[in-house]
Every structure is written in structure tokens, then in C-alpha cells.
Amino acid sequence: MAARGVRLLTLLPLRVQRRQVQRPLRRLLSCPGTVTADLRREEQSSGSAETGSEDRTPKKRFSEVQNERREQAQRTVLIHCPNKINEKKFLKFLSQHGPINNHFFYESFGLHAVVEFCQKESVTSLQNITRTPSLGPEAAIPFKSRYFNLKLRNSLNQTSELSSIQCSNQSSPSSKKLYQLLCCAESVDDQLNTLLREFQLTDENTRLRYLTCSLIEDVAAAYFPGCAVRPFGSSVNSFGKLGCDLDMFLDLDEIGKFTAQKTSGNFLMEFQVKNVPSERVATQKILSVIGECLDQFGPGCAGVQRILNARCPLVRFSHQASGFQCDLTTNNRIALKSSELLYMYGALDSRVRALVFSVRCWARAHSLTSSIPGAWITNFSLTMMVIFFLQRRSPPILPTLDYLKTLADAEDKCIIEGHNCTFVRDLNRIKPSGNTETLELLLKEFFEYFGNFAFNKNSINIRQGREQNKPESSPLHIQNPFETSLNISKNVSQSQLQKFVDLARESAWIFHQEGKDRPSPSSNQPWGLAALLLPSVANNVSLSKKKKKPPSERIKNLLDSIKSSGSENSTATNGRRAISTQA
Ligand code: GTP
Ligand code: MG
């Protein structure tokens, strides 16, 4: 039935050429030895986010990447520009304040330029010649930020010199474009890698994310000098798709930390502070005031909502200048540690990110995930499921968290709010996997594995890398890796889980059918990953559900029969294997 659905799909034009990689404008004046040059070199050589698993250069620790990007952002400014400018003159004007290391333009409520100076002092110098606008009858609240507005003096005289600017792309390709690219790929593995390439955060997008955090930090620092605003979640864990939200964390630990030399003598100095009844109340008060401040005075911030009664209180706002939807939290150090763990898993094997991106896109295409909170599976849970599945392969592609803990040394030790969050942080100390399975096989088996997983009695646990009895009755139980008594998918309803299982089975079945009879590229039919991503596959299936025997049972039977024939014949044929039983 699903195969019939595939046949009914709209035929796609195949006049598509491979997408030309858009080369954004690169640096005008270089500053040798800066982190920018290093980060860019790394990105280009690996083709992956911050670390490349294929290249043999030592892989950077998460904290190193965070610190370098943060320092880079502190030397960077954001400028709202007229739609047409003379780029050369613009850069010449700015370079009066010091050499520029990198710049690019993008569109978000008008043309914007991101300009990274070589030195922080250049930013101060630029701020010193910048005026606060006079707005006629309205009044401006003066705020010396790093977000500027560029105006043309005597614009009439300059008209002939102005031109449109090439903008760096900040969004993912349209569905149509994606299907065209996928249909032109040479193999399913090539399709998964294409999807990763098209959706992963670009260097420019990552810079913009760190810059946005840095700009928000400037506002927060007015209340809490010495604070830091750090990105976490998919912006930094290497699983972020272009267009994903920007999760940020207001880090006040540096302020609370006592760093001075121990003093001797009879006296001890302490800061005068206000006391509140609990850590939670402190978090709510801090976020309340920062939310108010962003709303009233934050340049480029709009639609500020203070969601202070949530389990994890947050301030949500739209940073119109960058185009990001932002969630600001504080006292959320465990989430930052989870981001570090996912970053490590993403960097350990090049197949991990390709698989996670495909599963995330598949789930989004079939409305299994949503940007609105609800009873759906989240991207974070899906990522955990992929990691768990890769730990279950034979030989395993990813190590368990318990194993990463055994590799940790004294410096890696990390206890947060009583939870042991220790694991080795040096990626170079983890041996690569000897598993050589293709992405095609892994995706197919991911669907088969979770299409048949005993969700009613088992829990998913990446700490031990094996199923465990469910400690509670939620339909889906995925153990929080650090707060082990918590379930990260407690919100998922039985019907959403069933939808996931049905779609996983359908997809495994489509893959199996295709293995036997793959449409040729000239047939203009979506195949492989393209066929799985089309939401109409699910729609056609559910339409025909009404007329025929329920597909889940039929497909489960089919899968059972595939399984038994797979175990009889699990050897590779022409580099492809029949679906085999789970290791
Ligand atoms: P997308 O934003 O969907 O691309 O993925 P994300 O990983 O950024 O997820 P999200 O924005 O929902 O959450 C940000 C981060 O918060 C995640 O990466 C996790 O580190 C953490 N997080 C999200 N949901 C949970 C949860 O249910 N439990 C725990 N402990 N942490 C969570
Ligand atoms: Mg997020």
C-alpha cells in the first residue's frame, strides 16, 4: 500500500544541477593567527560542524570551541545597512577603527552586516564615533550596544556607486529543492550526506548565533557585570538545522565564584546580597528582570515572553536582527553538559550526524515533531534514540556513557547539583569504532529497530546502552543521561508514540521494497530518502488505511517475514544486505 502511495506521488522535474555551494564574501583584511582562520580551515577540511571525524587532525574539545567562538563574537559588530551600499567603501570606512578579520551580509528585516574586527579595541573605537539618533517627537533610550544602524550621507551623490550585496544564506533549502537534490544523488548514503550538507549550520550562521548571545550578554551585564550568555542545545551540539531556535543560558557562576587568593587574618569580606527563599525563586527573579530589560531596552529584541512558572523558567523572544527565536534560561548547567555530550557523540563518527539529521527531517516531514510544545517527540529525544541505536550495533558505533565515564581523568570530574556528569572530554582518547555499516543499512535498521521496540516495557538508556525495564508508565521512556530518575520524553502521548511506530514500520517496509525494485534516476520518481521524506507517503497511507486491513499489523507481519528471511540470508550481496535481525 505504501508502495502504491509512492507511485502516486507527483513526478519531480530532474533538470536539476547539483547545488552550487554559495561562497559568501570572505575576509577583506586578514589577521593571521586568529581563531577565525583556524575555525574556517577546520570547517573546510572536514565538511562537518566544528570537528571532522574523517580528518586526522586532533579534534577540539567542546569547551575550546565555545571559548574561541565566544572570544570571536566579542570582537564582532552587527550593522543594519541600507539595501544598497558600496561594499568596498563600507569596509574602508570601518577599517579606520582597525583591521577587519571577516565579514558577511545577510537579510533579516533588511540588510545586515556582521563584521569581525581583529581586536576588541576596534569595537570601542567605532562606538566612540557613533551617535544616538534623534527621532523627532519620539525619544530614544540611549544604549551603547554593538548593534548599529548605518546611514548614507548625501545619498543622492552616491547613487551611482551603490550596488546590491551578495547575501549569505541563513535558511535551509525548500522541500522542492531538497527533493530535487536527493533525487540527483548517487546512492542512499549520498542522499543522507547531501541532506546533512544542506541543513547543517554554516560557519556564518554559527557566528551569528554566538554574536547574538554576546549582544544579549551586553544587556544582562548591565545588571550582572561578569556574567556570560552561552549558547547550548542544537546551536552548539552539532545537530542544529538551519532555522533552529537559539537556546541560551545566562551563566552567573563566574560572579559567584571566589577566585582571589585566600586571605589570612581575623577578617573575612562578603558581598551584601538579597536573600530569596529558594534557587528557583532566584532564577525567576533574575529572568524576570532580564526579560523586562530586553523588552524595554534590548535593540533588535521583540515579542518578549517571560515563562517563569515552567519546570525550567525561561524568557522567550525574537531577535529580529538575527532572525533567531531565542530561549534564555539560567541555572541550567546540566543542559549545557548534555550539549557537550551530544557534541562528543556527533564528532566520534561521521555517520552519527548524517543519521540524526535524516531522522529529524523524516520526523518533521511527517509532523512527528513540532515547534509548538505538546505531546510530540522532541528532536532531543530523537537524537537520544539514534545514539542508543548506534550503541546497540554489533560492533557498536558509539560507546555508552558509562564507558566514557571510565575514560575520564581527575580534570573531567563534574558534579552538578549532586548529579554525576563526569565523562572524558578529550575526543582523541576514544577509539574509533570498527563497524563499517553503510548509512543506508543503518537508516533502514533504525526504522526496523524502533518499529518493533517493546516501548510498553522497555526504557531507552544511553548511559548503559541497553534496554531496561521501564520505571514508570509513560508511553515512551528515555532516561535523562545525567538526572537519571527523569524521563526526557514524559510529554509523549500514546497516540504520538503509535504514530512514530507506524511510520517507522512503513519506512522500513518502503526501504525493503525499494531494495528489490529501486526506480531508476531517469524514471523521475522520488527514491530512497526522498521517498521517505514526502509527507504524502504518510497521507496516502492513512487515506488507504480506511479501506484496507490496518497497515500496522499487516506491515508488522511483513516485517516479521522479512526478519526471518533476513536472518537466513544476512550476508552482503552487491554491497547491500537484506534487513537483518537486530544485533
Ligand atoms: P532543536 O531546538 O529542536 O533543534 O533541538 P534542541 O536539542 O536544541 O532542543 P530544545 O531546544 O528543545 O532544547 C535545548 C536543550 O535543552 C537540549 O539540547 C537539551 O540539552 C535540553 N533539553 C531539552 N529537553 C529536555 C528534557 O526534556 N530534559 C532535559 N534534561 N533536557 C532537555
Ligand atoms: Mg533548541
Side-chain angles (χ1 to χ4, degrees):
M1 183 167 46
R4 192 171 140 244
V6 172
R7 259 181 259 122
L8 288 171
L9 297 168
T10 328
L11 302 183
L12 290 171
L14 280 175
R15 276 169 280 122
V16 194
Q17 296 298 311
R18 240 171 231 288
R19 185 178 170 151
Q20 294 279 312
V21 181
Q22 206 186 4
R23 290 267 160 247
L25 286 166
R26 290 298 189 191
R27 81 179 104 163
L28 176 79
L29 302 163
S30 67
C31 324
T34 58
V35 293
T36 315
D38 294 349
L39 287 168
R40 191 176 313 124
R41 224 179 356 261
E42 208 173 83
E43 189 208 22
Q44 283 171 348
S45 70
S46 69
S48 64
E50 302 281 348
T51 60
S53 47
E54 285 89 3
D55 67 12
R56 293 181 190 258
T57 49
K59 294 170 189 171
K60 279 190 179 157
R61 284 177 187 223
F62 181 73
S63 55
E64 279 176 86
V65 177
Q66 284 242 325
N67 291 341
E68 287 176 357
R69 289 280 189 191
R70 190 173 139 72
E71 189 276 330
Q72 181 183 73
Q74 287 167 344
R75 291 182 276 110
T76 305
V77 297
L78 183 58
I79 306 175
H80 179 256
C81 304
N83 283 340
K84 288 185 172 186
I85 56 168
N86 181 318
E87 187 175 352
K88 249 189 177 164
K89 284 193 171 171
F90 168 68
L91 293 171
K92 198 171 162 212
F93 163 71
L94 291 174
S95 54
Q96 293 173 79
H97 302 278
I100 294 167
N101 192 41
N102 184 291
H103 78 283
F104 66 92
F105 293 91
Y106 69 93
E107 288 276 354
S108 173
F109 295 93
L111 182 70
H112 284 80
V114 171
V115 181
E116 180 202 332
F117 287 101
C118 293
Q119 288 133 14
K120 247 187 192 170
E121 295 71 40
S122 305
V123 176
T124 318
S125 166
L126 180 61
Q127 281 172 326
N128 287 342
I129 60 114
T130 302
R131 61 174 200 168
T132 300
S134 48
L135 300 171
E138 292 176 3
I141 298 168
F143 185 66
K144 261 194 172 183
S145 75
R146 282 181 287 140
Y147 180 28
F148 304 92
N149 204 18
L150 181 81
K151 291 207 163 160
L152 295 177
R153 273 199 185 124
N154 309 322
S155 54
L156 282 179
N157 299 350
Q158 295 190 42
T159 318
S160 60
E161 295 174 351
L162 304 179
S163 61
S164 300
I165 299 288
Q166 194 192 344
C167 283
S168 149
N169 180 33
Q170 303 298 321
S171 52
S172 48
S174 66
S175 308
K176 190 171 166 215
K177 179 92 186 163
L178 178 70
Y179 296 136
Q180 289 171 339
L181 286 167
L182 294 182
C183 288
C184 289
E186 280 155 17
S187 62
V188 174
D189 281 44
D190 191 18
Q191 286 184 323
L192 267 79
N193 284 321
T194 301
L195 184 120
L196 172 62
R197 226 177 16 250
E198 294 296 319
F199 278 92
Q200 71 184 353
L201 303 184
T202 57
D203 178 58
E204 282 82 11
N205 196 270
T206 302
R207 284 161 178 275
L208 194 52
R209 285 171 188 269
Y210 278 85
L211 174 58
T212 305
C213 288
S214 190
L215 296 176
I216 300 302
E217 182 179 303
D218 289 349
V219 177
Y223 277 97
F224 302 107
C227 72
V229 172
R230 306 181 192 282
F232 71 99
S234 60
S235 298
V236 297
N237 66 19
S238 81
F239 297 112
K241 264 179 20 187
L242 283 170
C244 68
D245 68 353
L246 173 55
D247 302 293
M248 39 174 101
F249 153 67
L250 174 65
D251 186 353
L252 301 173
D253 277 15
E254 290 301 314
I255 305 175
K257 226 187 245 170
F258 181 63
T259 47
Q261 296 285 317
K262 266 197 179 157
T263 51
S264 54
N266 294 331
F267 298 102
L268 180 67
M269 295 291 282
E270 278 185 351
F271 287 109
Q272 279 282 354
V273 289
K274 284 212 170 191
N275 290 331
V276 290
S278 67
E279 205 51 72
R280 182 172 168 83
V281 175
T283 300
Q284 287 169 328
K285 283 189 178 285
I286 292 165
L287 286 178
S288 174
V289 79
I290 299 294
E292 181 69 19
C293 199
L294 291 176
D295 196 18
Q296 302 290 335
F297 314 125
C301 300
V304 179
Q305 298 171 58
R306 287 178 285 175
I307 309 169
L308 303 177
N309 289 322
R311 191 183 72 84
C312 183
L314 70 129
V315 175
R316 179 164 288 169
F317 61 97
S318 162
H319 192 257
Q320 290 187 334
S322 60
F324 297 132
Q325 187 64 33
C326 304
D327 277 352
L328 175 72
T329 53
T330 187
N331 196 13
N332 196 8
R333 196 156 275 281
I334 291 194
L336 195 63
K337 205 63 191 169
S338 304
S339 304
E340 179 168 15
L341 180 66
L342 294 195
Y343 168 89
M344 299 230 358
Y345 277 127
L348 279 177
D349 189 290
S350 64
R351 289 167 290 185
V352 180
R353 295 177 64 238
L355 211 55
V356 169
F357 271 72
S358 300
V359 170
R360 282 185 171 205
C361 283
W362 167 84
R364 191 77 186 91
H366 295 290
S367 309
L368 284 168
T369 51
S370 165
S371 51
I372 309 160
W376 1 97
I377 297 181
T378 61
N379 280 328
F380 183 53
S381 295
L382 285 172
T383 308
M384 289 291 174
M385 288 167 101
V386 175
I387 291 172
F388 181 74
F389 165 74
L390 295 175
Q391 291 174 333
R392 304 290 299 146
R393 303 305 297 164
S394 179
I397 293 179
L398 289 177
T400 64
L401 178 51
D402 274 347
Y403 177 71
L404 295 181
K405 194 173 156 197
T406 64
L407 297 182
D409 58 24
E411 281 194 359
D412 295 321
K413 192 167 177 199
C414 174
I415 310 284
I416 304 172
E417 294 156 22
H419 302 286
N420 193 334
C421 304
T422 305
F423 57 85
V424 62
R425 290 170 305 159
D426 181 357
L427 283 153
N428 305 299
R429 288 180 34 208
I430 307 164
K431 260 208 202 139
S433 162
N435 181 309
T436 56
E437 287 168 316
T438 62
L439 283 170
E440 176 174 359
L441 181 82
L442 290 170
L443 185 60
K444 199 162 30 178
E445 297 224 348
F446 172 87
F447 290 131
E448 199 205 340
Y449 182 79
F450 284 112
N452 290 290
F453 191 85
F455 287 108
N456 57 339
K457 61 175 202 296
N458 286 336
S459 151
I460 292 163
N461 173 328
I462 67 157
R463 184 162 272 285
Q464 296 180 358
R466 59 186 159 83
E467 298 96 346
Q468 279 190 315
N469 287 338
K470 272 203 308 196
E472 38 113 330
S473 60
S474 306
L476 176 61
H477 192 280
I478 304 177
Q479 191 192 56
N480 182 323
F482 299 122
E483 292 164 282
T484 52
S485 63
L486 300 181
N487 172 12
I488 65 161
S489 51
K490 207 177 168 64
N491 62 311
V492 178
S493 66
Q494 184 58 46
S495 63
Q496 283 301 314
L497 177 64
Q498 194 54 49
K499 190 173 163 193
F500 169 85
V501 169
D502 286 347
L503 279 161
R505 287 178 184 172
E506 306 279 5
S507 298
W509 190 71
I510 292 169
F511 248 142
H512 177 72
Q513 288 301 102
E514 271 208 343
K516 291 195 281 186
D517 183 21
R518 171 160 299 163
S520 70
S522 58
S523 73
N524 274 5
Q525 253 195 358
W527 59 277
L529 187 59
L532 297 188
L533 291 183
L534 287 167
S536 36
V537 174
N539 294 339
N540 285 333
V541 168
S542 53
L543 278 178
S544 28
K545 256 184 201 176
K546 290 175 190 147
K547 297 178 200 150
K548 297 191 179 177
K549 206 178 153 190
S552 303
E553 212 176 303
R554 243 163 31 86
I555 286 163
K556 185 158 176 18
N557 294 341
L558 257 169
L559 283 172
D560 288 344
S561 67
I562 295 163
K563 262 189 173 182
S564 47
S565 66
S567 50
E568 281 158 27
N569 179 23
S570 63
T571 45
T573 44
N574 294 334
R576 275 205 225 125
R577 273 196 260 169
I579 294 184
S580 65
T581 45
Q582 190 55 47

